[in-house]
Amino acid sequence: HMTAEAALTKVGDYAFRDTTALETICFPDAVTTLGTAVFYNTSANVVANVAENSAAHKYAVKYGIAVDVRKALPVVTATGSCGDNATWEYYNDGTLKILGEGAMTDYAAGKAPWHHYSYRNFVTNVVIGKDITSIGNYAFFELKNMTAVTFEKGSKLENIGMGAFGYTGITEIAIPATVKTIGVRAFYDCSSLTSITIPDSVTS
């Protein structure tokens, strides 16, 4: 059995040559390069634990090594600013995270930065960081494949902007107990929304 360090990115030529007792080996997601005959004369029973569609996965299949496939860790594929002290990150698993602190920028419908990328059609989950105090106007408007929104524990959110979640596919939302105001049309035409919790803190 062998577990590789997560920071490992390259496996050299003949790395496991003649390791005839090796039964299982785990390749971290970060491995992108594998050399010549990595499994030369290893045990016929060796099983490689690999991230789905990773370089190690493709290499093992190519050379007839049995695989135990796991889901790959999400990777940030785009990032940018969405407030004076707020940033966004889009992950290849469909997650959009709002990070940093303070208020998000207010946007016109369809003008948030992630709307300008093809990612808008692939966002399925939005995570709002605990130190974000305001969700901007039309922030997530028309992210039609977005089905979930999560607020980090200890949320300081006070405001949900106008049209913020309009035309999304969210199915439920529990608004943090710190929220005071919810803008007009915040959940406009959310036809899949079946459960919403509005705390006593909301005054407007």
Side-chain angles (χ1 to χ4, degrees):
H1 175 82
M2 183 173 183
T3 303
E5 290 295 324
L8 182 71
T9 60
K10 182 178 180 180
V11 178
D13 298 347
Y14 299 97
F16 305 106
R17 180 173 182 165
D18 299 327
T19 51
T20 54
L22 185 63
E23 294 179 358
T24 61
I25 181 167
C26 180
F27 289 95
D29 290 27
V31 170
T32 56
T33 305
L34 293 98
T36 301
V38 167
F39 296 105
Y40 186 84
N41 199 32
T42 55
S43 165
N45 298 319
V46 68
V47 176
N49 181 279
V50 293
E52 187 175 23
N53 295 320
S54 65
H57 183 189
K58 293 171 184 174
Y59 189 96
V61 170
K62 180 179 179 179
Y63 292 104
I65 304 300
V67 291
D68 175 20
V69 181
R70 66 180 187 274
K71 284 288 185 185
L73 294 173
V75 175
V76 174
T77 58
T79 185
S81 174
C82 59
D84 289 344
N85 297 298
T87 59
W88 62 277
E89 291 180 346
Y90 174 76
Y91 293 74
N92 63 352
D93 69 346
T95 299
L96 175 65
K97 289 186 179 180
I98 307 300
L99 308 170
E101 60 185 17
M104 291 177 66
T105 300
D106 287 326
Y107 299 102
K111 298 298 183 182
W114 37 89
H115 284 89
H116 300 295
Y117 298 85
S118 59
Y119 312 125
R120 68 179 294 174
N121 296 319
F122 298 103
V123 174
T124 57
N125 175 43
V126 169
V127 179
I128 308 295
K130 66 182 181 62
D131 294 317
I132 297 297
T133 58
S134 179
I135 293 174
N137 292 344
Y138 296 103
F140 310 113
F141 191 75
E142 287 187 328
L143 295 182
K144 294 182 179 180
N145 294 314
M146 171 189 158
T147 58
V149 57
T150 304
F151 300 94
E152 287 186 346
K153 188 175 180 179
S155 175
K156 298 180 178 74
L157 190 69
E158 297 181 359
N159 174 66
I160 295 174
M162 176 172 59
F165 296 99
Y167 287 109
T168 62
I170 57 172
T171 57
E172 60 182 355
I173 185 170
I175 297 170
T178 51
V179 172
K180 298 174 183 176
T181 59
I182 299 174
V184 296
R185 299 187 294 278
F187 303 102
Y188 187 80
D189 203 20
C190 289
S191 57
S192 298
L193 186 61
T194 58
S195 174
I196 181 167
T197 302
I198 301 175
D200 292 342
S201 58
V202 174
T203 57
S204 174

